[in-house]
Amino acid sequence: MTPENKQTLNTSGTSGRRLQFDWSWVSNNGGVIALIVILAFNVIVTPNFLNPQTLFVNISQVATIAIVAVGMTLVIATGGIDLSVGAVMALAGAMAPLIFTSPFAEANPQVGLVLSIVVPVLVALLCGAFNGFMVSYLNVQPIVATLIFFISGRGIALVLTNGNLQTFTNPEFSYLGTGKILGFPFQGYLVLLIAVVVWWVVNQTVFGRQLLAVGGNEKAARLSGVPVKRVKIGAYVICAGLSGMAGLIVVAINSASDAARIGNLMELDAIAAAVVGGALLQGGKAPIFGAILGAVIIQLVKYTLLANGVADEVALIAKAGIIVTAVYLQQARKE
């Protein structure tokens, strides 16, 4: 072969490599790409998408998804799942008005306000401890253990409220859902604060390293001295506590509590956000800010469909499709 032919062959081979598309880059950055595509579509097609009011509405709607998704990410990182987050939201949301409208709270409004936030969150933490105990000590499969409270939690909330819609006027409590700081919704700051704190816990503390070790290889973690049971319980407790806070925000936004509707299908949104954000269903990975990104994508998909006249039922199908796509991309990365 002549030197000229060799030069031609090398150039051809180099060109072939340059023309080859790197699909792994797409799978590794699928969430960011999806967000850019959705934003571009809305800017071009959806009326008033760039209106500040639209931004505030989406922040209010995405806040609850993001908060629950952060907790769900921790549970998934242990190799588990939590189907009870919506029921915990309903229970916490039902308790708050009962507390601050009680005779004691009316006589002591400041104490009543504090109790209406603290007590529901504490109850939510107890729900998470129950789920974690079932999974860790009784060895019940996570999907079955959390299904118990998925069914009973909302029933307890309905019993507490006699199945009635609770409406109220309490500006101090409603600040959780309608307040603004420097013109920006309070929930946005709360989501960022929660994300930063949980990210720090996962990446800078012993508990965070143990959490990822349990999800990565539970048997090896146990042999290494990791308190597997306590770590799992901790993940479920944090997830339930964040779910309780999300339930309070929903009630504060609406100035009403409907135990039958609060947190309805939040399990789907939270799991979808966590998976889209990069959480591995087999465990071992907890991308906290990825969960926030996933929540934004889920909310924008819902908003895009509704703003363009598509029925809400179609949004459920779209979210299911997002989960399937995210799982497929995860599998593609593994292969």
Side-chain angles (χ1 to χ4, degrees):
M1 182 179 292
T2 65
E4 291 79 5
N5 290 337
K6 289 182 179 180
Q7 180 72 21
T8 301
L9 182 60
N10 290 336
T11 303
S12 175
T14 303
S15 300
R17 285 194 297 272
R18 287 176 180 171
L19 291 174
Q20 184 178 1
F21 190 80
D22 188 2
W23 286 102
S24 64
W25 183 88
V26 175
S27 63
N28 290 329
N29 299 276
V32 176
I33 295 172
L35 178 61
I36 293 173
V37 171
I38 295 171
L39 289 174
F41 176 85
N42 279 289
V43 169
I44 296 171
V45 176
T46 305
N48 302 317
F49 179 72
L50 297 179
N51 190 304
Q53 187 62 33
T54 300
L55 173 64
F56 294 156
V57 169
N58 277 296
I59 290 175
S60 297
Q61 295 295 326
V62 78
T64 52
I65 301 174
I67 291 172
V68 179
V70 168
M72 185 69 74
T73 298
L74 297 183
V75 171
I76 292 176
T78 66
I81 202 77
D82 191 346
L83 298 182
S84 69
V85 291
V88 173
M89 287 178 63
L91 180 57
M95 292 183 65
L98 292 176
I99 294 173
F100 63 66
T101 58
S102 66
F104 173 80
E106 291 178 352
N108 304 273
Q110 297 304 318
V111 176
L113 177 64
V114 173
L115 290 177
S116 67
I117 296 173
V118 173
V119 173
V121 172
L122 288 177
V123 171
L125 294 175
L126 290 176
C127 296
F130 172 81
N131 289 335
F133 178 81
M134 294 286 290
V135 172
S136 301
Y137 285 92
L138 300 185
N139 295 318
V140 179
Q141 288 293 325
I143 194 170
V144 176
T146 57
L147 186 63
I148 295 172
F149 210 85
F150 169 84
I151 298 170
S152 62
R154 193 174 298 276
I156 296 172
L158 289 168
V159 169
L160 290 175
T161 60
N162 293 319
N164 298 324
L165 174 68
Q166 302 177 86
T167 59
F168 58 86
T169 300
N170 190 321
E172 290 81 9
F173 182 83
S174 295
Y175 186 84
L176 285 174
T178 60
K180 292 183 180 180
I181 300 176
L182 301 176
F184 197 75
F186 171 76
Q187 307 102 300
Y189 294 101
L190 183 61
V191 168
L192 290 177
L193 176 62
I194 290 173
V196 170
V197 171
V198 177
W199 177 88
W200 181 83
V201 169
V202 170
N203 291 277
Q204 303 296 326
T205 67
V206 174
F207 173 77
R209 290 192 290 272
Q210 292 175 339
L211 181 83
L212 300 181
V214 169
N217 190 323
E218 182 175 330
K219 183 177 180 180
R222 183 178 290 106
L223 293 175
S224 300
V226 174
V228 174
K229 294 180 179 179
R230 281 186 291 170
V231 169
K232 285 187 175 182
I233 290 176
Y236 283 95
V237 167
I238 295 173
C239 181
L242 292 177
S243 300
M245 179 58 67
L248 297 181
I249 292 175
V250 172
V251 172
I253 291 174
N254 299 320
S255 291
S257 174
D258 185 355
R261 295 183 61 84
I262 296 174
N264 192 29
L265 296 180
M266 179 57 75
E267 301 81 15
L268 175 61
D269 286 344
I271 294 171
V275 173
V276 170
L280 302 177
L281 292 177
Q282 65 267 32
K285 188 177 180 182
I288 302 303
F289 289 103
I292 304 298
L293 174 63
V296 172
I297 291 173
I298 296 300
Q299 169 58 28
L300 284 178
V301 168
K302 186 191 305 182
Y303 172 82
T304 301
L305 294 174
L306 294 177
N308 289 279
V310 180
D312 189 38
E313 291 79 6
V314 178
L316 298 177
I317 300 174
K319 284 185 282 188
I322 290 173
I323 296 177
V324 171
T325 302
V327 173
Y328 171 78
L329 291 176
Q330 284 187 9
Q331 190 64 31
R333 284 199 296 268
K334 287 173 60 179
E335 294 176 355

